[in-house]
Amino acid sequence: MGRVMCVGFPLVALVVVSMCFGLADAEVKTPNLRWHYYKVTNRCHDAEEYVRHQVNLFWKNDRSITAKLLRLVYADCFVTGCDASILLDEGANPEKKAAQNRGLGGFAVIDKIKAVLESRCPGTVSCADILHLATRDAVKLAGGAGYPVLTGRKDGMKSDAASVDLPSPSVSLQKVLEYFKSRNLNELDMTTLLGAHTMGRTHCSFIVDRLYNYNGSGKPDPSMSVTSLESLRKLCPPRKKGQADPLVHLNPESGSSYNFTESYYRRVLSHEAVLGVDQQLLYSDDTKQISEEFAVGFEDFRKSFATSMYKMGNYRVLTGNQGEIRRYCRYTNK
């Protein structure tokens, strides 16, 4: 492999350097997961190729799967760890039924990939690994960087909506940062991973407070640009109980093309972020500087996103005798 020339902005330099040197050191820190686990252990030699092929087929028909899979990974890892518990339908009230998880999608993608792998390598590839491999491949198709996904995860055995503590998109930046830190992710990781909002959609109900009654003031969020406020109010008029709850793009510049770009950060800097938590990146000197750097440095954003996804994907994984390899991702083997 040839030598790679790497550059980075001040706050991002450490991440860029880590990507240039590779992730061998990080792999040593997670000895129960391995790169190309299914190939090197001769359990399912072409598992990752099967996943990649299916993701390609889905993405060609529906580019929104990138945003859907990213949200699935976040909803899974940030609650009980990266154990695919978000996929379970079992129990009276599984995680996917929590209010914070309203509108989750991408389940059909995982179901199809699992069915293909079960037909070729029965009882071998975990749903947790499938979710992370598929998300990585979808991000790359949308324009993001490819990144190593260590494999060998096992699937969790339970899912309970009561365990879902994902923060509201209207919560303060400090509380969001505390939440990320509790998951072993730092300020740079938080600012980077919020960049996933460069694509996807959200319900108007998640932003209506910003549009009409910010912090109970009866007025809109003063941090919003006039143009953005007027545009979003047309898409999200005052809503009465029982009325439809429309969807709006988190980044109109990406829109239905679902491209992975740095335009999210330009919109934050222009006070055009849709979600309150995104706009608050301007409220901290560090997150503002990172946003400024990413807004003009797409490669730095791509590399940082790859590193932060790698870190998040290794949070509280089940390996060895923990968990199981589900036959169907929606149900435990019992």
Side-chain angles (χ1 to χ4, degrees), residues 62 64-73 103-106 201 258:
D62 179 11
S64 72
I65 68 165
T66 303
K68 292 173 182 175
L69 290 174
L70 279 168
R71 189 179 172 199
L72 265 186
V73 167
L104 279 180
R201 299 189 297 173
Y258 290 92

Side-chain angles (χ1 to χ4, degrees), residues 156-307:
M157 305 292 289
K158 61 181 180 179
S159 181
D160 185 357
S163 66
V164 177
D165 60 351
L166 300 172
S168 160
S170 299
V171 74
S172 72
L173 183 67
Q174 184 57 40
K175 287 189 178 297
V176 176
L177 179 57
E178 290 171 1
Y179 186 80
F180 271 73
K181 286 183 175 179
S182 72
R183 271 63 178 174
N184 301 329
L185 297 167
N186 58 33
E187 198 164 18
L188 177 54
D189 295 316
M190 178 194 72
T191 309
T192 299
L193 291 173
L194 285 176
H197 294 162
T198 196
M199 63 182 89
R201 299 189 297 173
T202 189
H203 282 281
C204 287
S205 57
F206 287 121
I207 63 170
V208 68
D209 58 329
R210 295 193 73 207
L211 304 180
Y212 300 102
N213 191 27
Y214 184 66
N215 286 343
S217 66
K219 299 178 181 179
D221 184 345
S223 70
M224 296 184 74
S225 72
V226 174
T227 301
S228 182
L229 176 62
E230 291 177 349
S231 175
L232 287 171
R233 278 185 163 180
K234 289 178 182 178
L235 297 170
C236 300
R239 175 171 159 264
K240 296 180 180 179
K241 187 175 181 180
Q243 289 184 326
D245 188 7
L247 286 163
V248 295
H249 287 288
L250 290 169
N251 179 3
E253 290 186 43
S254 172
S256 58
S257 65
Y258 290 92
N259 291 324
F260 185 93
T261 74
E262 77 284 6
S263 59
Y264 161 85
Y265 295 99
R266 293 198 300 268
R267 294 186 67 82
V268 168
L269 296 173
S270 299
H271 296 272
E272 295 179 321
V274 173
L275 296 178
V277 66
D278 295 334
Q279 195 59 69
Q280 290 184 68
L281 290 177
L282 295 184
Y283 296 176
S284 157
D285 289 341
D286 286 345
T287 57
K288 181 180 179 181
Q289 183 180 345
I290 295 168
S291 297
E292 290 171 343
E293 292 165 3
F294 286 162
V296 296
F298 181 47
E299 284 306 308
D300 286 317
F301 169 45
R302 290 176 81 240
K303 292 170 183 175
S304 185
F305 193 82
T307 300

